């Protein structure tokens, strides 16, 4: 490879060239006035480009120094490999030889990487089609190519680069690669560890020797970045167990001559195990001494724990942020007593000046209107900085469900020590779907379906849904429109209009059909940051069409209510939503207490209370525990019994997975599913990232434990009759909406239970 000259060597060469030109052109030494400049030898480069770099113009007096400066400037442009200056009378002739351009970049033997991705990477270091060919850039490209292979553990990689001249002063660059085999970690050893066994330290590492799952995890492939992360995990392990002066003395990574096996040796110095002798506060505490002391989780007598100390410092910083001190500085200074193996900490607090927010900048919303985001903000411009309000703003924007990612941060205002700007960056995701389909199944025969669903209609934050589904089993026509800010105070309004038909005969539930038509309007009235009162009124008419072999329960229903019945239903209740995200919640929860009442004046008179709670616990940044429970019951009032067409059902992915949808609960003498007046369902999920997806929360795996059932009577609940199931599944924010797949295994199935292990559902959380 050609070596790059040092800057001093370049200066020497340029000076020499200047002297050389002066010797060849005596007229230059005579300081000739330039009357014209002529360019010769150019093929692709425009003369104007050369004049841009040439520090000479007509009318200048040409000297040896100016000649050297002109040659230097043209060389530094990178376009030429040879430059000559000549004088023909008073005409300066600039003769150049252009450097070739790269016509194509090809690869041979590449299997590990996508070739187009490699072309982009090499173009970033200066080698790409239509670029000026540069030998130094080619050297960098070779090193970058090798580095990419080394990051994959392929240390035996060999590259041969060929540069082939082409017509019109072009070249073709070809990288011939012999990838070789991946080097595997043969051994990882710790030296100097006395307090903890080597096996315990090895369990902390992501890197490992080959295991039966290494083909998937690839943890047996060495990576400098992975090793750095593993060593930090070991360091944190010791520091969180009292070893204040722990250090990693050295790390040796060696590879066998055949470059197939790697040996890693980590030398550690543990030091003494320290206990905390004292933790005291100092500095300007603004009367917050008691509050700050309560935030200290590391106390006198504890074994030193760096994580607890850092958590305490963060909690104090956050506390001052709540008070408006955006630039608070909290530091812990240790005083080490090595003889007693004790350490005392003095936590120094400097709140700085109280800050206020100058501007709130929003970026990334190419489709969503600014006002849709700004009305969710709780941190306002030209008001005192409040860390809690900033966090609440971020969570409210995320709960809209319009964005894949929402990030918020602060930036000091230049020249102002008491001002910050809040920057909110969003990444939009598709919020609408237009679908049309034709299908066929043994139960439903021909299915024609179509839907338009837009949760952020025209970027206004309004939600519009129009769906049509036509089959022999179900026919649905519905229209829904929601305005979350019907008033400026945040009162939401929803209109619903629908027509639904259901033919039970095709599922073996009995020889009958129903047709429901209805309309409703609902309002959501906020009264705290997270709480909302809902109230609504709807009308629904039900037509019952019985066949020759209709179930007895439907015959009784017709005797009570006739073939046509209607109901005027009011909805009222309370909902609290404190989740940090609508699509991927990790903290907070949703709680609801709602009751539907069919008012006197209609054929049906009943009320249906519903209680529910969803709670999310963030275990780590990657792992979340989710809990859901709900109880529903239906009660008739007046002289007529509870209408069986309003019964509850359970079973399936929305309730108890592993059992066929709506199959749990009482049955009649003919074995038909009756449903019931009461239902209880509880779910527990443990969510974690899918291996290989990194921090992508759009797709997550989960394990679950479900329990629930349906009961015949009002207010009924018997835990002895619950059905349980467990299994695993997948949450995916797919292009058609939130998709949930589950594989469930019943734990206490009874005779007659209908099972369905694999199930899926679109558009639901639990």
């Amino acid at each position: 490879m050609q070596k790059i000259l040092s800057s001093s060597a370049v200066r020497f060469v340029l000076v020499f060239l200047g002297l050389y030109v002066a010797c060849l052109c005596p007229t230059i030494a005579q300081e000739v006035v330039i009357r014209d400049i002529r360019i010769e030898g150019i093929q692709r480069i425009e003369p104007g480009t050369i004049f841009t770099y040439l520090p000479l113009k007509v009318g200048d007096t040409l000297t040896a120094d100016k000649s050297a400066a002109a040659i230097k400037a043209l060389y530094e442009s990178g376009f030429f490999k040879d430059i000559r200056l000549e004088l023909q009378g008073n005409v300066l002739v600039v003769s150049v030889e252009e450097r070739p351009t790269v016509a194509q970049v090809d690869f041979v033997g590449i299997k590990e990487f996508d070739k187009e991705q490699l072309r982009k990477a090499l173009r970033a270091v200066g080698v790409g089609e239509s670029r000026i060919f540069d030998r130094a850039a080619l050297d960098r490209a070779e090193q970058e190519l090798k580095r990419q292979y080394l990051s994959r553990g392929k240390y035996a990689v060999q590259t041969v680069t060929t540069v082939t001249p082409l017509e019109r002063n072009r070249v073709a660059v070809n990288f011939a690669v012999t990838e070789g085999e991946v080097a595997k970690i043969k051994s990882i050893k710790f030296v100097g560890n006395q307090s903890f066994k080597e096996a315990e330290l090895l369990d902390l590492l992501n890197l490992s020797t080959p295991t039966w799952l290494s083909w998937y995890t690839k943890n047996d492939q060495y990576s400098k970045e992975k090793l750095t992360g593993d060593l930090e995990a070991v360091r944190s392990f010791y520091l969180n167990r009292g070893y204040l002066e722990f250090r990693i003395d050295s790390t040796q990574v060696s590879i066998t001559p055949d470059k197939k096996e790697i040996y890693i040796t980590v030398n550690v110095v543990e030091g003494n195990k320290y206990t905390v002798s004292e933790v005291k506060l100092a500095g300007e505490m603004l009367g917050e001494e008691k509050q700050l002391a309560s935030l200290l989780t590391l106390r006198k007598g504890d074994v030193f724990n760096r994580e607890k100390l850092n958590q305490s410092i963060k909690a104090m910083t956050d506390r001052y942020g709540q008070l408006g001190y955006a630039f608070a500085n909290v530091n812990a200074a240790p005083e080490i007593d090595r003889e007693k193996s004790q350490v005392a900490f003095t936590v120094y607090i400097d709140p700085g000046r109280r800050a206020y927010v100058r501007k709130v900048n929003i970026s990334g919303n190419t489709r969503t209107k600014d006002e849709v985001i700004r009305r969710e903000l709780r941190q306002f411009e030209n008001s005192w900085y409040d860390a809690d309000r900033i966090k609440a703003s971020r969570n409210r924007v995320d709960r809209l469900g319009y964005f894949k990612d929402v990030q918020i941060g602060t930036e000091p205002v230049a020249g102002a020590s008491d001002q910050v700007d809040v920057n909110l960056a969003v990444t939009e995701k598709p919020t609408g779907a237009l679908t049309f389909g034709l299908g066929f199944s043994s139960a439903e025969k021909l299915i024609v379906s179509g839907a338009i669903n837009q949760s952020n209609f025209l970027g206004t934050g309004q939600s519009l849904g129009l769906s049509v589904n036509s089959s022999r089993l179900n026919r649905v026509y519905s229209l829904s429109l929601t305005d979350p800010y019907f008033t400026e105070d945040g009162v939401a309004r929803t209109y619903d209009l629908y027509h639904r038909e259901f033919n039970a005969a095709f599922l073996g539930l009995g020889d009958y059909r129903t047709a429901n038509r209805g309309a409703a309007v609902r309002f959501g009235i906020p009264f705290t940051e997270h709480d909302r009162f809902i109230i609504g009124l709807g009308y629904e008419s039900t037509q019952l069409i019985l066949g020759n072999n209709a179930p007895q329960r439907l015959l009784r229903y017709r005797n009570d209510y006739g073939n046509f019945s209607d109901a005027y239903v009011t909805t009222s209740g309370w909902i609290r939503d404190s989740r940090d995200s609508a699509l991927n919640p990790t903290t907070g929860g949703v709680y609801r207490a709602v009751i539907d009442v069919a008012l006197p004046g209609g054929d049906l008179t009943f009320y249906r209370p519903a209680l529910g709670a969803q709670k999310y616990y963030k275990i780590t940044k990657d792992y979340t525990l989710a809990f859901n429970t709900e109880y529903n019951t239906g009660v008739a009032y007046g002289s007529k019994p509870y209408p069986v067409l309003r019964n509850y059902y359970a079973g399936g992915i929305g309730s108890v997975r592993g059992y066929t949808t709506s199959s749990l609960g009482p049955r009649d003498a003919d074995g038909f599913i009756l449903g019931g007046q009461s239902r209880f369902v509880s779910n527990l999920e443990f969510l974690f990232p899918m291996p290989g997806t990194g921090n992508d929360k759009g797709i997550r795996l989960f394990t679950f434990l479900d329990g629930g059932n349906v009961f015949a009577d009002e207010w009924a609940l018997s835990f002895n009759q619950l059905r349980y199931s467990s299994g695993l599944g997948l949450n995916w924010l797919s292009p058609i909406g939130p998709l949930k797949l589950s594989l469930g295994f019943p734990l206490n199935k009874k005779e007659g239970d209908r099972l369905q292990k694999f199930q899926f559902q679109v558009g639901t959380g639990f």
Side-chain angles (χ1 to χ4, degrees):
M1 295 294 174
Q2 179 178 342
K3 295 183 178 180
I4 302 175
L5 293 175
S6 67
S7 58
S8 59
V10 170
R11 286 195 296 269
F12 174 79
V13 170
L14 292 175
V15 170
F16 175 79
L17 288 173
L19 294 174
Y20 176 73
V21 171
C23 293
L24 288 180
C25 308
T27 53
I28 293 179
Q30 298 172 9
E31 299 186 356
V32 176
V33 177
I34 302 173
R35 299 303 181 191
D36 192 12
I37 300 176
R38 190 168 70 243
I39 309 297
E40 294 183 350
I42 56 176
Q43 300 180 22
R44 301 179 312 277
I45 300 173
E46 294 293 329
T49 302
I50 297 179
F51 284 119
T52 300
Y53 289 95
L54 187 66
L56 294 171
K57 61 182 183 296
V58 173
D60 288 349
T61 300
L62 185 64
T63 65
D65 290 341
K66 290 183 179 180
S67 299
I71 292 174
K72 178 182 177 182
L74 292 177
Y75 267 119
E76 288 179 346
S77 71
F79 296 142
F80 312 107
K81 65 179 180 180
D82 189 28
I83 303 167
R84 296 190 307 277
L85 299 183
E86 297 179 359
L87 276 173
Q88 296 180 2
N90 289 339
V91 178
L92 176 63
V93 180
V94 181
S95 300
V96 298
E97 183 178 350
E98 294 179 356
R99 296 170 68 179
T101 57
V102 178
Q104 61 188 42
V105 178
D106 289 325
F107 302 94
V108 176
I110 298 287
K111 298 178 182 178
E112 189 73 14
F113 299 97
D114 178 71
K115 291 183 179 180
E116 288 304 316
Q117 293 297 325
L118 280 181
R119 287 189 176 95
K120 290 181 180 179
L122 297 187
R123 186 174 182 83
V125 297
V127 176
E129 294 181 1
S130 301
R131 290 286 186 91
I132 299 296
F133 176 72
D134 185 348
R135 177 62 65 175
L138 186 62
D139 292 344
R140 292 194 299 270
E142 286 183 344
Q143 295 303 316
E144 174 63 18
L145 188 59
K146 289 181 179 179
R147 190 187 68 80
Q148 293 291 338
Y149 274 98
L150 294 180
S151 68
R152 299 284 181 96
K154 294 200 170 186
Y155 292 88
V157 62
Q158 295 181 355
T159 62
V160 177
T161 307
T162 304
V163 180
T164 305
L166 301 175
E167 70 279 1
R168 301 195 305 276
N169 197 25
R170 300 179 303 155
V171 295
V173 179
N174 181 272
F175 295 92
V177 179
T178 303
E179 294 184 332
E181 297 181 6
V182 175
K184 303 295 180 67
I185 297 174
K186 182 66 175 178
S187 170
I188 303 177
K189 295 290 184 183
F190 282 89
V191 178
N193 56 301
Q194 298 177 358
S195 302
F196 301 98
K197 295 181 180 179
E198 184 175 73
E200 193 171 358
L201 299 180
L202 290 174
D203 286 341
L204 302 172
L205 310 182
N206 284 320
L207 293 176
S208 70
T209 53
T211 64
W212 67 274
L213 201 58
S214 294
W215 63 272
Y216 179 74
T217 64
K218 295 182 171 42
N219 285 342
D220 60 343
Q221 298 179 12
Y222 170 76
S223 164
K224 183 178 179 181
E225 291 78 11
K226 287 183 180 179
L227 180 59
T228 300
D230 285 347
L231 295 181
E232 183 57 37
V234 173
R235 184 177 290 105
S236 297
F237 177 81
Y238 271 94
L239 291 174
N240 292 339
R241 286 159 179 79
Y243 295 87
L244 177 64
E245 297 181 303
F246 170 83
R247 71 177 188 272
I248 296 175
D249 203 38
S250 63
T251 305
Q252 290 89 38
V253 180
S254 59
I255 188 168
T256 56
D258 60 2
K259 298 184 178 181
K260 293 183 179 180
E261 294 179 344
I262 291 177
Y263 293 80
I264 301 174
T265 302
V266 181
N267 297 282
V268 302
V269 177
E270 292 182 334
N272 295 331
K273 186 175 182 178
Y274 285 82
T275 57
V276 178
S277 61
E278 185 181 17
V279 181
K280 59 183 180 181
L281 301 175
E284 191 175 350
M285 287 173 273
L286 304 177
E288 292 286 314
E289 290 85 353
K290 290 184 179 180
Q291 177 70 21
L292 296 175
S294 68
L295 298 176
L296 286 171
T297 57
L298 187 65
R299 296 182 173 88
K300 180 179 179 179
D302 290 350
V303 174
F304 170 70
N305 186 304
R306 184 181 68 169
E307 184 176 359
K308 285 186 176 181
L309 181 62
N310 290 339
Q311 288 174 348
S312 300
I313 292 174
K314 183 180 184 303
M316 293 181 188
T317 305
D318 291 345
R319 174 57 183 166
Y320 278 101
Q322 295 168 6
L323 300 174
Y325 295 89
F327 307 111
N329 190 13
V330 181
N331 290 305
E335 298 176 22
I336 300 175
D337 187 341
R338 292 183 174 84
E339 292 183 0
K340 296 181 180 180
S341 295
Q342 293 182 342
V343 58
F345 288 97
T346 302
V347 181
Y348 292 97
I349 300 169
D350 178 15
R353 297 184 63 179
R354 192 176 184 190
Y356 68 90
V357 174
R358 183 186 67 164
K359 291 182 179 180
V360 178
N361 302 310
I362 298 174
S363 62
N365 55 319
T366 56
R367 185 171 177 275
T368 304
K369 295 181 179 179
D370 257 26
E371 64 174 310
V372 174
I373 298 175
R374 288 192 180 275
R375 66 194 184 191
E376 301 297 331
L377 301 182
R378 294 301 176 260
Q379 173 66 68
F380 303 114
E381 296 179 342
N382 299 317
S383 64
W384 291 116
Y385 171 93
D386 189 323
D388 281 353
R389 289 182 176 272
I390 291 175
K391 181 180 179 181
S393 299
R394 183 261 171 211
N395 290 344
R396 288 183 65 89
V397 173
D398 201 2
R399 281 202 300 269
L400 290 173
Y402 307 156
F403 310 108
K404 290 191 295 185
D405 187 44
V406 180
Q407 298 291 335
I408 196 166
T410 58
E411 181 182 5
V413 176
S417 60
D418 62 347
Q419 297 181 41
V420 297
D421 286 341
V422 175
N423 299 318
L424 178 70
V426 299
T427 303
E428 290 193 309
K429 70 178 185 68
T431 57
L434 172 62
T435 59
F436 176 79
L438 291 174
F440 183 85
S441 74
S442 59
E444 300 191 49
K445 305 305 179 183
L446 182 65
I447 304 170
V448 180
S449 63
I452 300 174
N453 292 288
Q454 177 58 260
S455 60
N456 186 18
F457 184 62
L458 299 178
T460 63
Q462 297 187 17
S463 179
L464 173 67
L466 174 65
S467 62
V468 176
N469 185 301
S470 179
S471 70
R472 298 180 65 181
L473 175 62
N474 282 293
R475 290 186 180 181
V476 180
Y477 311 93
S478 67
L479 175 66
S480 177
L481 177 63
T482 299
D483 184 354
Y485 278 81
F486 170 61
T487 69
E488 293 182 357
D489 296 328
V491 175
R493 181 189 63 190
T494 299
Y495 290 121
D496 288 317
L497 186 66
Y498 58 88
H499 173 91
R500 303 188 185 103
E501 296 180 17
F502 174 69
N503 193 336
F506 288 98
L507 284 183
L509 301 180
D511 188 7
Y512 72 93
R513 290 182 293 146
T514 61
N516 299 84
R517 303 171 185 87
V521 59
R522 298 189 305 276
F523 295 92
I525 306 169
F527 58 93
T528 73
E529 181 66 27
H530 302 292
D531 299 274
R532 181 178 294 264
F533 180 74
I534 61 171
I535 186 170
L537 176 64
Y539 170 79
E540 181 176 282
S541 69
T542 301
Q543 180 183 6
L544 176 64
I545 305 166
L546 298 180
N548 295 328
N549 297 314
Q552 287 297 317
R553 68 184 189 281
L554 276 307
L555 293 174
R556 289 193 296 270
Y557 179 92
R558 185 176 63 179
N559 291 336
D560 291 329
Y561 297 104
N563 290 326
F564 292 90
S565 57
D566 57 14
Y568 299 91
V569 181
T570 64
T571 299
S572 59
W574 159 80
I575 295 177
R576 178 179 178 83
D577 189 348
S578 60
R579 295 173 299 172
D580 60 341
S581 172
L583 296 176
N584 293 304
T586 59
T587 60
V590 180
Y591 311 91
R592 67 183 69 231
V594 179
I595 184 169
D596 292 339
V597 179
L599 300 174
D603 297 317
L604 308 182
T605 53
F606 61 85
Y607 59 91
R608 306 207 314 169
L611 299 173
Q614 295 178 8
K615 181 65 178 173
Y616 299 89
Y617 301 92
K618 184 176 182 180
I619 301 175
T620 69
K621 66 181 182 68
D622 293 325
Y623 300 99
T624 303
L625 188 66
F627 175 74
N628 171 70
T629 188
E630 56 183 280
Y631 179 74
N632 311 80
T633 192
V635 182
Y637 69 92
S639 60
K640 295 182 180 180
Y642 184 79
V644 296
L645 292 181
R646 298 285 180 163
N647 275 356
Y648 295 100
Y649 296 87
I653 199 168
S655 54
V656 186
R657 287 160 281 200
Y659 296 89
T660 301
T661 301
S662 302
S663 67
L664 296 179
R667 303 189 183 195
D668 64 14
D670 298 322
F672 295 130
I673 300 166
L674 296 175
Q677 286 182 237
S678 301
R679 178 181 64 175
F680 174 81
V681 171
S682 186
N683 315 96
L684 184 66
E685 288 187 359
F686 177 70
L687 299 102
F688 54 95
M690 174 178 282
T693 60
N695 295 323
D696 184 6
K697 291 186 178 181
I699 181 167
R700 293 193 295 177
L701 300 175
F702 63 86
T703 59
F704 66 85
L705 176 64
D706 292 344
N709 209 337
V710 172
F711 308 97
D713 301 324
E714 61 193 44
W715 301 112
L717 175 59
S718 173
F719 290 101
N720 293 331
Q721 297 181 32
L722 297 185
R723 297 292 191 272
Y724 297 97
S725 67
S726 65
L728 53 89
L730 169 72
N731 281 338
W732 177 31
L733 296 180
S734 72
I736 61 173
L739 175 65
K740 174 169 282 193
L741 308 174
S742 75
L743 184 63
F745 301 92
L747 300 179
N748 63 334
K749 63 181 179 180
K750 305 295 182 181
E751 183 178 355
D753 286 346
R754 300 179 184 179
L755 309 182
Q756 188 179 50
K757 293 183 178 180
F758 178 75
Q759 296 168 323
F760 74 93
Q761 186 166 314
V762 178
T764 184
F766 266 93

